[in-house]
Amino acid sequence: MASAFCLPLAIASTLAQYTNLPDVAPGLFNVSARIQIDNTNISAAWDALTNFPDYPKWNPFVRSSVVVDSRNISLSIQRPVENSQLLLCVQLPALPLPVNENTQGNPLNTQLSYENVTHVQPERGRLAWEYYPNPLMAAERWQALSVNGNGQVLYESREVFSGTLAPLTQKLYQQKLQESFNAQAQGLRLWLQGGYRP
Ligand SMILES: *[C@@H]1O[C@H](CO)[C@@H](O)[C@H](O)[C@H]1NC(C)=O
Ligand SMILES: *[C@@H]1O[C@H](CO)[C@@H](O)[C@H](O)[C@H]1NC(C)=O
Ligand SMILES: *[C@@H]1O[C@H](CO)[C@@H](O)[C@H](O)[C@H]1NC(C)=O
Ligand SMILES: *[C@@H]1O[C@H](CO)[C@@H](O)[C@H](O)[C@H]1NC(C)=O
């Protein structure tokens, strides 16, 4: 009896879950999030993810992302372009939702990081940047949009960490990063469902 009931579950669990994230090499650990966002479309969601000046209005994790040149000077077009550099200001852990541009961060949880934009693929709904290329730690964050089997927008994000500093990063930050990825996914859903206008 029991095994007859268990069989379909066992078969289901061997089917890979649908994803629009690319296959990447495994690292020491990764953090990820996925969320279905109803009543929106890919183009509005893509616009939200790539419109950096609006991040403070909805993003509880990446409170700002500024496209800068090699001298750390902010560029006039604040959208991701491959091989450009980003200066991220993150809250780790993320702030409680909802947030807006006036929500104050906790100075003790504020971290700055430089990221190199590696992939901007609007036709595939994919975007990626990596922790500033360095020998001690590799960490590339992918974000992907697609339409899932329910005909709704699926937002996914995943960052894989490897390198000498990865064990320490895992110990100190894995859980906070995981919570923050979830918080950003929920923040994006709130923003897109709250009457977002590009
Ligand atoms: C991410 O971590 C999960 C859980 O440890 C693992 O199953 C999965 O293969 C990892 N994915 C990548 C791309 O590293
Ligand atoms: C996508 O959603 C936005 C915002 O609601 C809307 O302005 C736009 O017309 C929609 N685009 C399509 C192709 O439905
Ligand atoms: C780059 O500029 C930001 C302020 O816009 C500053 O916080 C950061 O420390 C600067 N980084 C470097 C390496 O000068
Ligand atoms: C970003 O990384 C790529 C590949 O490592 C490199 O070619 C490019 O010069 C880097 N760009 C910046 C702004 O660091």
Side-chain angles (χ1 to χ4, degrees):
M1 255 321 244
S3 65
F5 278 112
C6 290
L7 192 58
L9 280 180
I11 291 169
S13 72
T14 64
L15 292 174
Q17 186 180 38
Y18 165 77
T19 180
N20 186 34
L21 288 169
D23 270 335
V24 298
L28 176 69
F29 75 102
N30 67 80
V31 294
S32 64
R34 60 187 273 137
I35 196 169
Q36 176 178 311
I37 306 181
D38 296 354
N39 304 318
T40 188
N41 59 53
I42 301 258
S43 102
W46 178 262
D47 195 69
L49 287 178
T50 57
N51 183 341
F52 292 139
D54 275 355
Y55 271 27
K57 298 179 184 169
W58 64 270
N59 197 322
F61 171 42
V62 184
R63 296 298 291 143
S64 73
S65 175
V66 179
V67 188
V68 294
D69 69 11
S70 56
R71 292 170 305 157
N72 199 32
I73 294 172
S74 156
L75 300 186
S76 58
I77 298 182
Q78 290 294 316
R79 295 265 177 181
V81 173
E82 287 183 8
N83 289 320
S84 64
Q85 218 181 301
L86 305 178
L87 177 57
L88 302 189
C89 178
V90 307
Q91 281 286 303
L92 200 62
L95 296 170
L97 286 165
V99 293
N100 63 37
E101 63 274 35
N102 299 317
T103 310
Q104 294 298 311
N106 178 343
L108 297 175
N109 297 338
T110 301
Q111 297 197 17
L112 291 180
S113 79
Y114 280 98
E115 306 278 329
N116 186 336
V117 179
T118 52
H119 302 85
V120 179
Q121 304 172 331
E123 68 292 345
R124 307 177 84 169
R126 292 176 179 171
L127 193 57
W129 43 79
E130 66 181 354
Y131 187 63
Y132 194 76
N134 86 65
L136 295 181
M137 195 169 69
E140 186 172 29
R141 178 178 188 185
W142 280 91
Q143 297 181 88
L145 294 166
S146 56
V147 172
N148 68 9
N150 302 330
Q152 302 295 339
V153 170
L154 177 69
Y155 166 73
E156 300 171 278
S157 181
R158 184 189 59 216
E159 184 159 353
V160 177
F161 294 79
S162 58
T164 312
L165 280 181
L168 183 63
T169 304
Q170 179 174 33
K171 190 162 178 246
L172 295 177
Y173 298 121
Q174 180 174 12
Q175 194 188 338
K176 288 177 182 172
L177 283 164
Q178 181 54 57
E179 289 165 11
S180 301
F181 272 51
N182 290 342
Q184 177 174 329
Q186 280 154 15
L188 180 66
R189 179 165 66 181
L190 266 182
W191 176 240
L192 289 169
Q193 293 185 340
Y196 172 70
R197 279 166 234 90

